[in-house]
Structure formats: structure tokens, C-alpha cells
Amino acid sequence: MTDFAKLKAHIQKRHSFTDSEANDFCQNFKMTRVKKRQFIVQPEFTAKNRFYVVQGSFRAYVIGDEGQEHTIQFAIEDWWITDYNSYIFQQPASMFVMALEDSIVLQINYETEQELKKRKHLYESFFRVLAEHTAAHMARRVILNLTKTAEQRFEFVQERYPEIVNRVPQYALASFLGITTEYLSKLRNKRVSPKS
Amino acid sequence: MTDFAKLKAHIQKRHSFTDSEANDFCQNFKMTRVKKRQFIVQPEFTAKNRFYVVQGSFRAYVIGDEGQEHTIQFAIEDWWITDYNSYIFQQPASMFVMALEDSIVLQINYETEQELKKRKHLYESFFRVLAEHTAAHMARRVILNLTKTAEQRFEFVQERYPEIVNRVPQYALASFLGITTEYLSKLRNKRVSPKS
DNA sequence: AAATCATCATGAACTGGTTCAACATGAAAT
DNA sequence: ATTTCATGTTGAACCAGTTCATGATGATTT
């Protein structure tokens, strides 16, 4: 399956786009290869693009006052990523979005997205649903952070997103969970081998 | 200004609705009075409505495993509220949404909203923007929780949303910040009168 | 094949925030 | 006018998670 075919399948699975609509829609995306550790969004600069991950993985994070990294989001195949506040409001980003491995994305830029939404009710609808899913997902994240302990959060994420847990470096996962790498290491090794 | 005039102003401030479009749109909302401590959303039941607050204030919260309340969102005049995951996906709610004072809301139900979005590109666009703002807002909340200490979060919320801080009960604010009422009380009294 | 860098592990001392208990105050209900 | 309930305060003991220090292992670079 080509890169564009993946995006097309993604769209048609969720919305009733005809083939020609889907093709027309996909034409507005640009395929880009991204090397491991390369940034696709950086603080200060406005995020001009929204990215659909065809292959590889990414990590969005901010740097705290004392220099610690805090992971806001991961994205693997078939997910979308960008600095949401920067992209939507076209204002300077506060996040880094970095490739965790050599990756391939399909990106759309802000003006093109605006034009698509204006052009066709169906496309507007597509982005509305995308925004709703993002909002719902973020709301669940807030609830998880408020209601569960670090250990429970770890267990939840491990069960719910095993592909991510097994794929991203431990320090990235720790900062996603809101704990230190040391503590995550301890949680992990607590669970295996009480080494009787 | 009547209740519907407030919603109309809210819409026209953010979107280019003609008067007749705005009137047509607003007709789909129903005015409801809600008494203090009354619930407009409850766990187990599917949230059938989205609410625009005309007057008063609300609090959305979940109950944790040990019975503690965790506030997910507040809403005062000119804000929207519901259990987002329940409403969007029409599945059973996990939240309570309760009036903090006698209030007036304008509510729209799920089917009506769907019909509006289908009927007119402009209405679809309205809800797309609403979803984007919700997503952006939630993303900022995640960042705040991950990057700041309880005290910094308190200071931030106090400065950014003084109307809320001064209006909601302290235990509700504490559970919004992710701390106990006792600790919030201490933070507050630390700040005033070192009583030399 | 070294040498360097990125990642993970482990222990000991420490701290931000919790828990528990007891009390103070005002608002609502009878 | 009391009683009850909802809310906020304060202190002391406690614990989940941090910090700091040190070392192990494997991946990248030269």
C-alpha cells in the first residue's frame, strides 16, 4: 500500500468519501521523510503543518522551567500529530515534535486545510470529527492524570497502548506518565521477579 | 438581554452568521432552569445534551476508586459544558455535571445537533471550531498538570480565571487542581499574613 | 576497536503533598 | 431558635514519588 493509500483508507474507514473525493482530498498532503531525532515542530516557530504518520513514531514534548522534558503526546502509524494550540491558532509553538525513528508522514499546511474546509461541507465535517476525537482523547487524559496514581497510570497505558509502551524509550514514557525515569524503572522491576 | 440573545451574541462574535441564520440556529436550543446541586449529567446515563451557560455556574466531576471527587471542568456564563466523551460518542457518562448555583442554560440535544451539522455547512463549521477550542483547551490543561507544581497551578488558575476561583467552593477548586482541600487551604494561607 | 553517548537500574536521603483527627463558622432546614 | 449540614482551617504523622549519586549496558561515531 502506498503512503497515500494509507491515508485514503484511514479517511474512508471513518467517513463516506467517494473514491474521487478521497483522492482529491489526499492530493493536498505532501509526503515527507523524517530522520530519527529530527524535529517537525519547534518552540518559537508557528506550527504550519498537521501530520499524519504513515510509518514510524513521534513524540511531542515541552521543556519545563527546570529543563525537564514532559511528553504531551506520542504518535505512531495512523495517528495525527502537531502542536495543537500552535496549529489551530497559528501562534508560536511551545512544543517540540521529534521523530523517535526514521519515519514517513503526510503533511497538510494550515492554509490548505482552511481552503479544504471552506470548499466542501464534507471536508469541513472530516476536520470537525478529527477535532472532536482529539478533544475527547485529551479529556480522557486529564481524567486519567487526576484520578489515578503513577502505578495505575502505567498499568493502564501499558494495557491500552502496548505498541507505544514497547516502542518508545523509557524516559519518554516516564515523562508522559508524569514521573521520573528512576521511578518508572522501579515500578517496572517491582512487577517482575521478586526474585524469591 | 434575553437568554437567546446571549447565545446569539456568542455565535455572532465568533462566526459570520447573518441574523436570520443565528435565529434559525438558536431555535434549536431549549431554555432550562437548573437549581443549585441539581445534576444535568449523571454517570451511567448517556449525556443527551450539550449546554450553553446563560447564567450561573457548573462543575463536571468524576468519582475516583476511593470515592474522592475530581473536578474536570467548570463552566460559568458564556461557556459550554457536558460530559464530552459521553456526548460525542453517545455512550454512558462517567461524570456528574452539577449546578453550583441556581442557573439558566440553553441546551441542544444530540440528534438536533447532528441534524444542524448536516443541514448547513456554516453550522458544521461552528461545531468544528467549538471542538477545536475544546481540544486546544484540554491540551493546555494537560500541559499545566504535567509541568507545574500544585502551588504554581493554583497561582496560574487564580490569575487566569479569577472569576472561577472566587466563585466556586474551595473543595471544588482543590479537586480541579488535583490536590486535597487541606493542602489548598494551606497554600492560600501561606500567601497571606505571615503574621509577623 | 575504541571512545563517546544515550538509555536504564539501584539505593539512600529527602520533600511535596496526603491522611487523619479535631475544631470553627455560617447557611439551610425544621 | 436549634439543629444539621456544608464548608474551611490547622497540626502532626506519614508516604508516593523525587533527587542525587553511581554504575551497567548497548548503540553510534570516529
Side-chain angles (χ1 to χ4, degrees):
Chain A
M1 186 142 64
T2 78
D3 304 330
F4 285 93
K6 276 189 184 149
L7 176 57
K8 196 175 156 186
H10 170 92
I11 292 165
Q12 291 189 317
K13 198 162 108 196
R14 292 165 178 77
H15 300 264
S16 53
F17 277 49
T18 65
D19 269 15
S20 84
E21 283 166 340
N23 289 334
D24 171 49
F25 187 87
C26 291
Q27 260 170 17
N28 295 279
F29 287 77
K30 188 181 134 207
M31 194 269 270
T32 309
R33 287 171 195 283
V34 187
K35 287 244 151 186
K36 185 172 178 175
R37 290 200 187 80
Q38 188 183 326
F39 296 107
I40 56 176
V41 173
Q42 267 177 282
E44 311 300 327
F45 298 90
T46 297
K48 292 206 185 61
N49 301 289
R50 184 199 285 274
F51 304 88
Y52 171 78
V53 181
V54 173
Q55 197 178 110
S57 56
F58 290 84
R59 175 180 167 239
Y61 63 95
V62 299
I63 304 279
D65 296 336
E66 275 85 28
Q68 343 78 297
E69 298 182 357
H70 302 275
T71 299
I72 309 305
Q73 199 205 330
F74 291 112
I76 59 175
E77 287 80 13
D78 206 32
W79 291 38
W80 295 86
I81 196 167
T82 189
D83 177 327
Y84 206 84
N85 273 280
S86 175
Y87 184 71
I88 292 299
F89 300 117
Q90 285 292 289
Q91 64 191 15
S94 64
M95 297 185 191
F96 294 91
V97 179
M98 194 185 79
L100 288 168
E101 22 180 339
D102 290 355
S103 304
I104 298 174
V105 296
L106 289 173
Q107 55 176 276
I108 185 169
N109 73 48
Y110 185 75
E111 285 78 22
T112 307
E113 181 179 318
Q114 296 312 110
E115 194 270 310
L116 279 179
K117 286 187 289 208
K118 202 178 289 178
R119 192 162 97 217
K120 202 161 175 140
H121 190 153
L122 180 65
Y123 299 163
E124 178 78 67
S125 180
F126 174 84
F127 285 108
R128 186 258 302 166
V129 171
L130 191 54
E132 281 177 353
H133 283 232
T134 305
H137 189 262
M138 284 288 158
R140 290 198 300 276
R141 177 117 198 255
V142 169
I143 294 173
L144 182 68
N145 283 311
L146 280 182
T147 58
K148 306 289 182 184
T149 65
E151 185 165 14
Q152 292 172 324
R153 271 165 4 234
F154 172 52
E155 281 165 4
F156 174 84
V157 171
Q158 198 171 228
E159 169 158 328
R160 181 70 224 277
Y161 304 105
E163 303 150 86
I164 288 179
V165 172
N166 299 322
R167 195 158 161 188
V168 306
Q170 197 128 239
Y171 67 85
L173 178 60
S175 81
F176 178 84
L177 294 170
I179 59 178
T180 59
T181 57
E182 291 95 332
Y183 193 57
L184 177 55
S185 174
K186 281 163 200 174
L187 285 180
R188 258 206 162 119
N189 295 100
K190 182 171 154 187
R191 188 155 316 287
V192 291
S193 77
K195 193 184 146 200
S196 71
Chain B
M1 186 142 63
T2 79
D3 305 329
F4 285 93
K6 275 188 185 150
L7 177 57
K8 195 174 158 187
H10 170 93
I11 292 164
Q12 291 190 315
K13 197 162 107 197
R14 293 165 177 77
H15 300 264
S16 52
F17 277 49
T18 64
D19 269 14
S20 85
E21 283 165 340
N23 290 334
D24 171 51
F25 187 87
C26 291
Q27 260 171 15
N28 295 279
F29 287 78
K30 187 182 134 209
M31 194 269 267
T32 309
R33 287 171 196 283
V34 188
K35 287 244 151 184
K36 184 171 178 175
R37 288 199 190 81
Q38 188 182 327
F39 296 109
I40 55 176
V41 174
Q42 266 177 284
E44 311 300 328
F45 298 91
T46 297
K48 294 206 183 61
N49 301 287
R50 185 200 285 274
F51 304 87
Y52 171 78
V53 182
V54 174
Q55 197 179 110
S57 55
F58 290 84
R59 172 178 168 240
Y61 63 96
V62 297
I63 304 279
D65 297 335
E66 275 85 28
Q68 342 80 294
E69 298 182 357
H70 302 275
T71 299
I72 309 305
Q73 199 205 328
F74 291 112
I76 57 174
E77 287 81 14
D78 206 31
W79 290 38
W80 295 86
I81 196 166
T82 189
D83 177 327
Y84 207 83
N85 273 279
S86 175
Y87 184 72
I88 293 300
F89 300 117
Q90 284 293 289
Q91 64 191 13
S94 63
M95 296 185 192
F96 295 90
V97 179
M98 194 186 78
L100 289 169
E101 23 181 339
D102 291 355
S103 304
I104 298 173
V105 297
L106 290 173
Q107 55 177 276
I108 185 169
N109 74 47
Y110 185 76
E111 285 77 23
T112 307
E113 181 179 319
Q114 296 313 108
E115 194 270 310
L116 278 180
K117 285 187 290 208
K118 201 179 288 179
R119 191 161 100 217
K120 202 162 175 141
H121 191 152
L122 180 65
Y123 299 164
E124 178 78 68
S125 180
F126 174 84
F127 285 107
R128 186 259 302 168
V129 170
L130 192 54
E132 282 176 354
H133 283 231
T134 305
H137 189 261
M138 284 287 158
R140 290 198 300 276
R141 176 116 198 256
V142 169
I143 294 173
L144 182 68
N145 283 323
L146 281 182
T147 57
K148 306 290 183 183
T149 65
E151 186 167 13
Q152 290 172 325
R153 269 160 11 230
F154 172 52
E155 281 166 3
F156 175 83
V157 171
Q158 197 172 229
E159 169 158 328
R160 183 68 224 278
Y161 304 105
E163 301 150 89
I164 288 180
V165 172
N166 298 323
R167 196 159 161 187
V168 306
Q170 197 128 242
Y171 67 84
L173 179 60
S175 81
F176 178 85
L177 293 171
I179 59 179
T180 58
T181 56
E182 292 94 333
Y183 192 56
L184 178 54
S185 174
K186 281 163 198 172
L187 285 180
R188 258 205 162 119
N189 295 100
K190 183 170 154 187
R191 190 155 313 288
V192 289
S193 77
K195 193 183 144 202
S196 71

